[in-house]
Amino acid sequence: MQSTVQSGKTELLIEKENQYGAHNYHPLPVVLEKGEGVLLWDVEGKQYYDFLSAYSAVNQGHCHPRIIAALKRQAEKLTLTSRAFYNDQLGAFEAYLCSLFGYDKALVMNSGVEAVESAMKLCRKWAYKVKGISGEGAKIVFAKGNFHGRTISVISASDDDSAKKDFGPFVPGIVQVPYNDLAALEQLFAEDPGIAGFIVEPIQGEAGVVLPDENYLPGVHALCKKYNVLYIADEIQTGIARTGSMLASYEVGSTEKLDRPDVLILGKAISGGVLPVSAVLADDEVMLTIQPGEHGSTYGGNPLACAVAMEAMQVVLDEKLAENAARLGVLFRAGLEEMAKRIKLIRLVRGKGLLNAIVIDCDEHSDLAWEICMRFKENGLLAKPTHGNKIRLAPPLVITETQIIACLQIIEKSLTDFVSAS
């Protein structure tokens, strides 16, 4: 009887979302109500390891006590002023970001896609005010296979049919180039003086954790300098210690700024998954091209978000989460590689730090990866397929070695069940 009641509760809540919510997502059929560290619990009380981390937004773990304490302290004082006035948290947060990442200025927004849109506007304004591109001729280059969000201008840069179908017409001034192809990028830069910027993910997350060659990002940096093009790194998913270093695009703290992008985009884990916070960082030559009244956000830079994000970022540093991600990422991938030798369902293992994926040996249009994630769920681990046959595996960075080993056992058991049944 108890099992029937619990199952009914889950079904009722799922049906309520289906009845009253837009059908723009296809979630796994689990209804979550509590999280702590790397663990989640559903409304039935069942416990799971979280291996999605809200798409890398909860790098610090669910409901980190220091971040929640900062939220409570600030929420009792002041939450929102708009940018019509100064507040006592924004300047401190901007200074924190600029000092940590090595830029002159920070523009604080809310969602990741807002930050990408802001970077696109900055790029175009810089093109006309500084580079000297005439008229409305500035173009922005994006890598094929990208994912930067869901707004009209951002999907204009996508080559994913499911993101674009029936949403046109699209924004002009967008050019695509193959990812991890420096020769194609240079040819594009050399042929078109109207190119203002190149926006790229250091590792393509939504595409299935696709890593470029080691010389790719340094090569991008060099080409952008050579052709006076802004190098814009979207580190919304790869940033904040996820890949085993504070950022994936360059070494934070380097005084020489050798490979530092001209514009850095941050989001997701910048607030530890507690509030929507994002930021664009750039030096004065770029950032100060936008003047008062030309861009903004009512909630962007609100004091609650700033206080939470500062504490969230400090947690990453104090708890050495980048180092933990680097060490345990090696252990995790080694376990997956050994598993792949025994279980032929795994075609490929790839990743860096604790941003990893397995490619399932099936067609992209197959339901097999989804069915495997359902089996993961039954066995106490939550993950989600991307692009059909890839399963992203990205736990919160507070995970321990013991927990990594336990999760490898869950993954192997789940995959073995499929092999046995076939």
Side-chain angles (χ1 to χ4, degrees):
M1 178 64 69
Q2 182 67 22
S3 175
T4 302
V5 171
Q6 290 174 340
S7 176
K9 185 176 182 180
T10 294
E11 291 174 1
L12 181 65
L13 290 166
I14 290 174
E15 179 54 35
K16 186 170 287 187
E17 279 200 32
N18 287 336
Q19 182 177 354
Y20 295 106
H23 293 185
N24 57 324
Y25 278 93
H26 180 43
L28 286 178
V30 57
V31 181
L32 303 170
E33 69 170 1
K34 179 184 173 184
E36 181 179 337
V38 301
L39 299 175
L40 290 165
W41 287 265
D42 66 17
V43 292
E44 320 292 357
K46 182 174 179 178
Q47 176 185 291
Y48 306 88
Y49 286 104
D50 181 2
F51 261 63
L52 188 62
S53 299
Y55 298 103
S56 297
V58 289
N59 290 359
Q60 300 89 333
H62 290 279
C63 299
H64 193 289
R66 280 177 53 182
I67 305 174
I68 297 302
L71 174 76
K72 291 177 178 179
R73 285 194 303 270
Q74 186 61 41
E76 292 174 346
K77 293 171 59 180
L78 183 67
T79 59
L80 180 64
T81 62
S82 84
R83 293 298 304 280
F85 313 105
Y86 292 92
N87 70 70
D88 66 343
Q89 297 297 312
L90 177 56
F93 181 44
E94 291 167 334
Y96 185 98
L97 288 174
C98 290
S99 174
L100 179 59
F101 295 109
Y103 289 88
D104 294 339
K105 295 286 189 293
L107 171 61
V108 182
M109 300 297 286
N110 305 289
S111 68
V113 75
E114 279 183 281
V116 176
E117 292 265 6
S118 300
M120 293 173 71
K121 289 179 70 175
L122 269 174
C123 181
R124 285 181 169 180
K125 181 68 81 167
W126 172 86
Y128 302 129
K129 295 293 186 181
V130 178
K131 184 169 181 176
I133 295 175
S134 61
E136 297 290 317
K139 299 174 186 174
I140 303 176
V141 180
F142 287 78
K144 292 182 179 180
N146 72 75
F147 180 84
H148 300 281
R150 298 287 190 183
T151 60
I152 289 292
S153 61
V154 171
I155 65 169
S156 297
S158 175
D159 60 344
D160 181 355
D161 288 340
S162 66
K164 300 183 74 168
K165 182 176 172 56
D166 297 332
F167 289 117
F170 298 107
V171 175
I174 301 295
V175 181
Q176 292 184 348
V177 69
Y179 183 66
N180 195 31
D181 190 335
L182 291 173
L185 188 65
E186 178 158 28
Q187 181 178 351
L188 197 59
F189 286 177
E191 292 176 350
D192 193 341
I195 291 174
F198 176 46
I199 299 182
V200 65
E201 301 161 89
I203 297 171
Q204 291 192 325
E206 191 70 17
V209 189
V210 179
L211 280 72
D213 297 334
E214 286 188 10
N215 70 334
Y216 180 63
L217 294 177
V220 166
H221 182 274
L223 288 176
C224 287
K225 291 299 180 190
K226 178 179 177 180
Y227 290 96
N228 195 24
V229 169
L230 291 184
Y231 167 26
I232 304 170
D234 179 349
E235 292 247 24
I236 292 168
Q237 185 168 173
T238 55
I240 322 302
R242 171 54 59 183
T243 64
S245 55
M246 200 61 181
L247 296 174
S249 59
Y250 73 102
E251 183 180 349
V252 173
S254 173
T255 56
E256 298 183 22
K257 302 181 180 179
L258 292 177
D259 296 323
R260 193 200 67 165
D262 298 299
V263 179
L264 174 66
I265 307 172
L266 299 172
K268 294 191 184 294
I270 197 173
S271 72
V274 173
L275 289 171
V277 185
S278 61
V280 179
L281 286 89
D283 287 340
D284 287 343
E285 180 190 46
V286 176
M287 191 68 78
L288 295 183
T289 58
I290 285 185
Q291 298 298 306
E294 294 181 343
H295 188 61
S297 163
T298 298
Y299 272 81
N302 71 78
L304 185 61
C306 292
V308 165
M310 275 190 285
E311 188 66 18
M313 298 289 287
Q314 197 59 45
V315 164
V316 172
L317 299 175
D318 292 346
E319 298 189 4
K320 301 185 184 304
L321 295 186
E323 292 88 336
N324 199 52
R327 180 177 65 86
L328 294 185
V330 171
L331 175 68
F332 184 57
R333 281 188 300 282
L336 291 174
E337 293 283 4
E338 283 300 313
M339 200 183 301
K341 295 176 183 177
R342 299 188 297 273
I343 302 173
K344 299 308 179 184
L345 270 177
I346 302 177
R347 183 189 300 169
L348 186 65
V349 175
R350 57 193 182 206
K352 187 175 184 181
L354 285 174
L355 180 61
N356 297 283
I358 53 174
V359 180
I360 302 302
D361 191 22
C362 64
D363 184 86
E364 284 193 7
H365 302 291
S366 168
D367 291 329
L368 181 57
W370 174 271
E371 292 168 3
I372 288 170
C373 286
M374 290 290 288
R375 188 63 58 90
F376 287 170
K377 179 182 80 73
E378 291 170 15
N379 291 328
L381 184 147
L382 295 179
K384 189 90 187 291
T386 182
H387 282 243
N389 65 338
K390 293 97 178 168
I391 301 176
R392 194 165 15 192
L393 298 167
L397 308 185
V398 294
I399 197 167
T400 66
E401 183 172 331
T402 300
Q403 290 170 326
I404 283 284
I405 292 170
C407 291
L408 283 168
Q409 292 171 347
I410 291 173
I411 292 168
E412 180 157 11
K413 179 183 186 309
S414 301
L415 293 171
T416 301
D417 288 348
F418 271 90
V419 172
S420 301
S422 61

